[in-house]
Amino acid sequence: MFISFEGIDGCGKTTQLKLLNDYLNELGYKVIAVREPGGTPLSEKIREILLNKNNNISNIAELLLFEAARAELIHNIIKPACNEGVFVLTDRFIDSTLAYQGYGRGLDTNYINILNTIATEMLIPDITFYLQLPLSIVKQRYSIKKLDRIEQLGEVFLQKVIDGFDIIASNNTERIIIIDATQSIEKVFQNIKNKLKI
């Protein structure tokens, strides 16, 4: 099964992915956990470029770098693991590109969907957990962390991204499960387990 975790930075994706990874391991399943961008040597180098605050990257170049990192991850890690029946958990995937580069940056979502299809070799998650969090709480969480190049783009941009995630979730109800990320870590994880029914 292929499961992605989505949401604005600070929503708790990474924490919940780790909890699910540990839980599935305890149940005896074989699990691979990856992140986007990243997951392979080349994709991790692209991640460093994308998140470095000293880099001034055009919107189109940013989009193509994300897609290049994804293509590497899909080809080398995700698709082979899915073909072997392994649980694959990813911290971000195609919905993040639509939300950040499409709704946030204002790039054409139709073009992004085409690039996503090419980069993923048409592989889509079986389930996506969207950890929904309002901007007011995002701001609180950002106040205690060091921000990367994208996280520091400001409230207007972040609200566009959140709105984008909401639209994406409403358009993909068969795949995307909305989880209230304002709850405690324990309650969020319980909700995820309840939805998975494993």
Side-chain angles (χ1 to χ4, degrees), residues 7-197:
I8 194 75
D9 287 295
C11 70
K13 296 178 289 69
T14 306
T15 298
Q16 294 301 324
L17 183 148
K18 184 179 185 309
L19 288 171
L20 183 58
N21 180 72
D22 293 345
Y23 175 69
L24 291 172
N25 275 317
E26 288 171 7
L27 293 178
Y29 291 103
K30 188 173 181 183
V31 188
I32 291 176
V34 295
R35 67 178 180 177
E36 279 211 344
T40 72
L42 176 58
S43 297
E44 288 293 333
K45 288 179 181 177
I46 294 173
R47 180 187 182 89
E48 291 174 15
I49 294 169
L50 283 165
L51 300 185
N52 189 326
K53 289 187 287 187
N54 296 320
N55 291 334
N56 185 16
I57 306 172
S58 71
N59 292 345
I60 295 293
E62 179 182 89
L63 169 63
L64 294 174
L65 284 169
F66 273 113
E67 297 292 0
R70 175 171 298 134
E72 275 291 295
L73 182 61
I74 280 284
H75 183 76
N76 292 301
I77 305 293
I78 293 178
K79 199 165 188 179
C82 288
N83 289 339
E84 293 174 9
V86 176
F87 267 95
V88 178
L89 312 180
T90 182
D91 187 338
R92 296 204 178 287
F93 201 55
I94 53 174
D95 301 312
S96 281
T97 309
L98 268 180
Y100 280 87
Q101 281 66 52
Y103 292 95
R105 296 292 198 189
L107 298 179
D108 190 312
T109 55
N110 292 318
Y111 290 146
I112 293 174
N113 283 327
I114 291 169
L115 289 172
N116 279 341
T117 301
I118 294 169
T120 62
E121 301 178 25
M122 301 182 71
L123 186 64
I124 295 174
D126 298 295
I127 298 173
T128 296
F129 290 111
Y130 165 37
L131 276 60
Q132 192 176 50
L133 199 66
L135 181 60
S136 58
I137 298 181
V138 172
K139 287 163 58 180
Q140 292 173 18
R141 295 184 182 183
Y142 276 20
S143 67
I144 58 172
K145 67 176 289 196
K146 186 176 180 181
L147 303 183
D148 63 35
R149 189 181 65 85
I150 293 175
E151 291 170 338
Q152 65 179 8
L153 288 173
E155 293 181 21
V156 173
F157 175 81
L158 294 174
Q159 188 60 62
K160 287 180 182 178
V161 173
I162 292 170
D163 293 342
F165 274 121
D166 290 342
I167 293 168
I168 295 164
S170 68
N171 290 337
N172 295 274
T173 54
E174 74 290 344
R175 171 175 62 87
I176 299 177
I177 297 171
I178 299 174
I179 303 289
D180 179 3
T182 65
Q183 304 174 97
S184 68
I185 291 172
E186 294 76 18
K187 285 185 178 178
V188 169
F189 186 53
Q190 188 59 54
N191 287 344
I192 288 171
K193 287 196 294 183
N194 291 343
K195 295 295 183 180
L196 270 182
K197 299 175 183 175

